[in-house]
Structure formats: structure tokens, C-alpha cells
Amino acid sequence: MSISSSAQAMNVSILLVESLHAAGVKYVFGIPGAKIDGVFNALLDHPEIKLIVCRHEQNAGFMAAAVGRLTGTPGVCIATSGPGASNLCTALATATTEGDPVVALIGEVPRKMSQKHTHQSMRALDMLEPITKKTIAIHVEDQSAEVMLEAFRSANFYPKGAVVVSVPQDVASLDSKILPFQPEAFRSPLFGPGNSEQMEGLKRMLESAKLPVLLLGMRASAPKVVYAIRRFLHACPIPVVETFQAAGAVPRDLVHLFYGRIGLFRNQPGDRLLARSDCILAVGYDPFEYDASNWNPLGKLPVVHVDYQTCSYDFHYQPRLELLGSIAENFELLNRTVTANPAESTQGYLKDLMDEFTAWKSTESAARKGKPVQPLHFVRKLQELLDARDEKDGGDTQVVTDVGTVYIYMMRHFYAYEPRMLLSSNGQQTLGVGLPWAIAANLVQDPPCSRRVVSVSGDGGFMFSSQELATAVQQGCKITHFIWNDSAYNMVQFQEEMKYGRSSGVALGGIDFVKYAEAFGAKGLKVREEGEMEAVMREALSGHEGVVVVDVAIDYQQAQELAGHVIPEEWS
């Protein structure tokens, strides 16, 4: 029910802000404009919601999505009509694809002008509808509270994603007799355990399997789910493979069960493990991350789908069972009633796979004087420095990786031991998320900006959102951002070279990132060659307050190996 059923009325702009507060929103990210300035005016008076003014609406959407992923409460972005709304497209598409709950408020021309050829008039909802979970227009002032409630409930219910609310300028200035709903109305319904017959079938498959494998997908990354899965693994120590967005599910004391992450190219130890498994528990798996045609090309692998929602059933993904409901509760039931272990006959194979997965750590690490930094040396040194830092401080450092060749190296080789402490965009593979996500991750800390966040991008991806350095500095963020700089769009470059023997449209360069960072009030550092790397990394992580940007000369000569040695179909 609403807060009041009396004849009292409330201005719609104020009502929208009070609805945000009732939904648990603490930050709103956006850029103002005349068609939405009533809501900005109302935000100015609210003591518990902080407005973060961004430098581009797309980045505001990225920040909102990161808040949704990290906190479980839909992140909120706000933009004006016309180009303000259209600039949100990429961020909202990314959020919906990758299961991040977002509510976007957009301004609109007054209702009487909506069908006219007039300034900033655009059919924004028609444009946004295909790439979001839902779009809703407030046509009448008394709809406002109900629309806001529906937006949050829809965004935060599976499959989670972005919901857009359109607010005509004239409606924002009117009064509504229906007032904001109480906080409990915004809470998502809870799931219970799945069907008992499906549960019994899963138990039989697990207990008879010689090589059961846990494949964790993006909907298995919530802390409650992760902790239930960990209890299951302590009782049933079976091998684990993660998709990129499931990073952090396996803790330090269970790392001997972790066979890496899979994505993009079918050439990882985890791919080989799935190809040999006789029982794959696909938990929270979504083909947006890594299509089943990559890891199950013949469609014959024995899969059990464990999720909140039914699977995308196709030739390559034909589960023997679907166990739907609360993933955490289903694993708690399994933990109490099932016993599963890889058969003794598989131990040699598992050892060989683990040796293959960890072999990169023993590569030659001596500094190559005068040479650019090798990617794996960077990953190993960052891991070493952050692990030492976390052990000393008793916490875990949030790491964000942008898309590009950098993200393949980081997501394959960088270990994360807690849920959602290593973030990547693995549905749309959207360039530019790195810095905005790092800002959001820093802000949602308690207290805000109290612990350093590390983000890593390529030089191409960084320039998609680098203007938000101003936002990071002004908000007092503690961020160290490493730029792997090869003056090219390398992820495109190496794949073009593999296809055509040459590359096109990938050359970049021309930027002094140290001076660029300093122009925004950040600290700029540079790693010119591998012999400088460790000292500069230590300075960047501990030697300065605020925002630090490090330009790292990177050596991508071996990047094609990332896509090499693809496992043939006959393995399946």
C-alpha cells in the first residue's frame, strides 16, 4: 500500500525521488537537462540520496549498472530527453544482457508536444524497448508511484536488467494523489527450493558420475549463492569452472578445485574438463557469456540446469534436468543429502589439467630491460602485490577490467577469492566500462571511497570513458587505473591478423596519458619497460592518495596465442 491514502498530494518530481529512497537508492548518476530538471531540483533537497554528475550519459548508465551488480539494489541513472536518452543505449543494453538491475529515468517533452516535430522530441521508448527489460511512460500524474514501483520490481526480478521510466516535463510539475509506496513493496519476492523429483534426479546423476563438474555462470555470482556453493564443495569436492562473470566463487581454501574460467575461445583447461565430464552442473549459466555451441559443439554433454529461470534450450544446450528455484536453497539441500567425488580413475587426468592451468606461473619472470611489459608478468605481479596488501589489511581489493585483450588475460589468469571482486563485461563485451565501474565500486564502499579500487583497461577502452577522471577526482575516489598501452585496438587487431594476415582500422596513439591524467587532477605515472614495472606498480597502489593513472607500455606480440589451439569438436 502507499504511504498515505488520504487526500494529501505530492509533486511528481518529489514523489519520484521519495520512491528512489523507499527502494533503497543512495546514488543517482546522470546529466541534467530542461526536460528532467524538476527531478534534479528535488534531488537537491534529499539528504540521503547523492547525485553524481557525470560527463556522459553512457558512463552514468555504466555506473548505475555497477551499483546494481555490486549491491543487489537497482542502480539509477537519469538523463534528459532526446540525445540524453539516446546516449544511455549502450549502457542499458549492457546491463540487460549481463543481468544488472538498473532503473533509468529519462525526461520527455510535454505531452501536448509529443506528436509534434519539436525540439528534443524523440520516440525514446521505442528506441530503448528492444535493448531493455521494460519501458514505461508516466502518462498521468497519479500513475507515478505505481510506475516507479513496477520499474524497481521488474528490474530486480529474474532475468534482471534495465527498466526505463519516461517522465514528460509537464507531468513532473504536477501533483499526484497516490503517494510513494513503503520500502517493503520494493523488495523482490523470494524463491524456494526446486521440484523434489528434479532434485532426486540430480542426486542420482551426481552420485553415479565419475567426473562431475560445476560450471558457474553469471547468476551464480551473488554472495548468498556463492557461500551455499562453497559449503557444498566442502562436502562434495568436485572440480569447478567459472565463466568470467562468476569470478570469485572459489575461495583460497578450495582453490585446488578451481580449473579456471572459460570464454571467447574454446582452448582452456576448463573447456577440456567440460568435454570429458559425465555430469555438468550448469549453475546460473547464461549463453550470453559463452554460448553452449563453444563448449558443447555436438550437444551431447550431460547437463543439469540449476537456475532461477528456465534455460535457453537449443541443439547445443539440452539439459537432462532443470532444477529451478533458489540456487542457494537447492545447494543447501544437496549439501545435506548427496555425496559426490571424482572417481579415482580421473585423478591423473585432473592433475594434468591443473598442471596445464597453472603452467603460466612458472614462465620466466626476469625483467627484460628496455622491452615493453609482458601481459602475464603484469598479471602475476599485480596478483602478488594485491594478495600481500589484502593479507596485511584483512580485506579484498576490488578489481575491474575493461574489455579488450587486457580482459582476456585478466579473466583467464587473475585469481579472485570473493564474489564480485573481479568485474568484467562479458555479455556485450562493452568497451569503456572499466573506469565508470571502478568509480561506482569505490562509492558503494562503507564508508564511501575508503579502500583503493584497481581498474585495468587498454588504451582504446580507456578513451571511451576517460572524461570520468573528472568525476573520480571530484568525488574523492581512491582508484588506481592501469592502461595497457600498445597504441591500437589490439583485440580486434590480432583477430584480423589471424583471419586476413593483416589488420585494418586499429591504429591509435597520440596521447600522453601522464599529462592527460594530471590535467584532471589525478596522478600520472608511466612504465616504459619491464624493468620499471614493479616499482611503479607499488607507487601507484600505495604511494599516492586519490586517483592514479599508470600508462603501461605493453607487449602484445603473443596475443594470437589467446585464440590458438582451439579444442576440436571430436573431444565432445
Side-chain angles (χ1 to χ4, degrees):
M1 61 180 293
S2 61
I3 289 176
S4 172
S5 57
S6 70
Q8 179 184 0
M10 181 181 291
N11 171 266
V12 168
S13 290
I14 296 174
L15 183 152
L16 298 179
V17 174
E18 290 298 333
S19 295
L20 297 179
H21 181 244
V25 173
K26 296 182 179 179
Y27 292 97
V28 174
F29 305 91
I31 295 177
K35 307 302 189 295
I36 198 69
D37 59 8
V39 180
F40 277 79
N41 183 55
L43 282 167
L44 195 63
D45 296 324
H46 202 286
E48 297 183 50
I49 300 178
K50 185 172 183 179
L51 173 64
I52 307 296
V53 178
C54 303
R55 272 56 183 179
H56 194 286
E57 291 90 351
Q58 177 172 291
N59 299 326
F62 287 155
M63 294 179 202
V67 169
R69 184 179 297 193
L70 290 168
T71 70
T73 298
V76 176
C77 54
I78 183 169
T80 193
S81 59
S86 64
N87 281 345
L88 289 172
C89 284
T90 298
L92 299 184
T94 301
T96 302
T97 301
E98 298 177 4
D100 298 325
V102 171
V103 172
L105 303 178
I106 61 171
E108 188 55 88
V109 298
R111 290 170 293 178
K112 67 180 181 180
M113 305 292 287
S114 63
Q115 299 303 311
K116 294 186 176 182
H117 187 72
T118 189
H119 177 70
Q120 282 197 342
S121 180
M122 179 187 291
R123 293 168 59 183
L125 295 188
D126 289 345
M127 174 181 60
L128 294 168
E129 187 274 334
I131 59 172
T132 58
K133 187 175 179 183
K134 195 170 192 175
T135 58
I136 319 172
I138 301 177
H139 295 293
V140 179
E141 59 270 24
D142 285 346
Q143 295 177 321
S144 303
E146 294 170 340
V147 166
M148 289 296 287
L149 179 63
E150 171 61 18
F152 276 89
R153 288 175 65 88
S154 179
N156 215 24
F157 193 79
Y158 295 96
K160 297 185 179 185
V163 174
V164 182
V165 175
S166 175
V167 187
Q169 185 180 22
D170 58 321
V171 172
S173 65
L174 300 176
D175 291 342
S176 170
K177 294 188 292 293
I178 299 177
L179 303 185
F181 286 80
Q182 296 278 10
E184 55 265 26
F186 290 85
R187 295 173 189 155
S188 298
L190 299 177
F191 288 87
N195 178 271
S196 59
E197 290 185 10
Q198 298 290 298
M199 178 66 76
E200 288 301 317
L202 172 55
K203 292 177 187 176
R204 289 192 295 271
M205 286 185 66
L206 274 175
E207 290 176 345
S208 63
K210 294 182 178 180
L211 188 54
V213 176
L214 202 58
L215 169 60
L216 302 181
M218 66 184 187
R219 284 185 294 277
S221 64
K224 182 179 179 181
V225 172
V226 167
Y227 300 143
I229 289 173
R230 290 177 178 183
R231 287 188 286 272
F232 168 79
L233 289 173
H234 276 105
C236 301
I238 66 175
V240 180
V241 176
E242 298 173 343
T243 63
F244 290 178
Q245 284 186 214
V250 181
R252 287 176 173 84
D253 64 331
L254 291 173
V255 74
H256 58 284
L257 301 177
F258 180 53
Y259 285 80
R261 303 186 190 102
I262 56 174
L264 294 178
F265 311 110
R266 190 182 186 228
N267 60 6
Q268 293 302 289
D271 291 301
R272 292 181 174 81
L273 182 57
L274 293 178
R276 290 289 178 88
S277 175
D278 56 352
C279 180
I280 299 172
L281 270 70
V283 184
Y285 165 76
D286 195 305
F288 266 128
E289 278 205 86
Y290 189 40
D291 198 277
S293 61
N294 289 312
W295 56 269
N296 190 13
L298 302 183
K300 296 180 179 180
L301 294 177
V303 176
V304 176
H305 182 79
V306 183
D307 206 344
Y308 300 99
Q309 62 194 58
T310 188
C311 72
S312 298
Y313 200 107
D314 62 19
F315 174 80
H316 301 287
Y317 195 75
Q318 304 181 47
R320 308 283 176 87
L321 298 168
E322 287 189 75
L323 184 61
L324 305 182
S326 166
I327 297 177
E329 290 195 37
N330 281 327
F331 269 90
E332 295 293 2
L333 286 174
L334 283 174
N335 188 29
R336 293 195 294 267
T337 58
V338 72
T339 300
N341 284 284
E344 185 66 30
S345 59
T346 67
Q347 295 306 310
Y349 176 67
L350 290 174
K351 182 182 182 302
D352 290 343
L353 276 184
M354 184 60 73
D355 289 344
E356 178 187 348
F357 173 53
T358 58
W360 70 275
K361 296 180 182 180
S362 61
T363 58
E364 178 59 48
S365 60
R368 303 176 308 153
K369 294 291 180 67
K371 301 290 186 180
V373 174
Q374 290 186 356
L376 289 178
H377 292 176
F378 179 97
V379 174
R380 179 168 47 201
K381 183 53 63 176
L382 182 64
Q383 185 90 62
E384 177 185 313
L385 294 176
L386 293 185
D387 284 355
R389 179 190 183 95
D390 293 345
E391 183 177 0
K392 178 182 177 182
D393 297 346
D396 287 276
T397 299
Q398 180 81 60
V399 177
V400 180
T401 180
D402 209 335
V403 172
T405 305
V406 59
Y407 120 106
I408 308 176
Y409 279 109
M410 286 291 292
M411 298 312 298
R412 284 185 179 180
H413 300 294
F414 190 87
Y415 284 74
Y417 304 106
E418 291 300 327
R420 295 175 177 166
M421 294 304 288
L422 175 60
L423 301 183
S424 71
S425 169
N426 198 39
Q428 291 294 343
Q429 292 182 338
T430 302
L431 271 176
V433 299
L435 182 59
W437 281 9
I439 293 170
N442 215 203
L443 289 171
V444 301
Q445 293 172 343
D446 186 18
C449 303
S450 56
R451 184 175 174 85
R452 185 159 295 276
V453 171
V454 173
S455 52
V456 190
S457 73
D459 52 312
F462 177 68
M463 291 306 295
F464 269 58
S465 53
S466 61
Q467 66 267 48
E468 300 304 335
L469 281 174
T471 307
V473 170
Q474 289 180 352
Q475 295 302 323
C477 290
K478 294 181 179 179
I479 296 171
T480 296
H481 188 96
F482 294 98
I483 303 170
W484 286 18
N485 186 0
D486 72 323
S487 297
Y489 288 120
N490 181 261
M491 188 173 172
V492 177
Q493 180 180 8
F494 82 75
Q495 292 183 77
E496 286 184 348
E497 290 173 351
M498 292 178 74
K499 293 177 185 177
Y500 312 116
R502 59 183 182 174
S503 61
S504 173
V506 299
L508 296 174
I511 302 171
D512 185 329
F513 286 114
V514 173
K515 291 181 178 178
Y516 187 86
E518 291 172 347
F520 287 95
K523 178 66 178 179
L525 301 172
K526 189 174 182 66
V527 177
R528 297 172 180 83
E529 48 96 2
E530 204 159 273
E532 301 174 345
M533 182 178 69
E534 181 172 352
V536 175
M537 289 178 78
R538 288 183 182 275
E539 180 182 354
L541 294 170
S542 304
H544 302 278
E545 288 297 317
V547 180
V548 182
V549 176
V550 187
D551 179 0
V552 181
I554 204 76
D555 180 359
Y556 277 144
Q557 290 187 34
Q558 298 177 344
Q560 288 192 16
E561 294 183 6
L562 295 170
H565 313 292
V566 174
I567 302 169
E569 288 188 4
E570 55 264 28
W571 269 63
S572 299

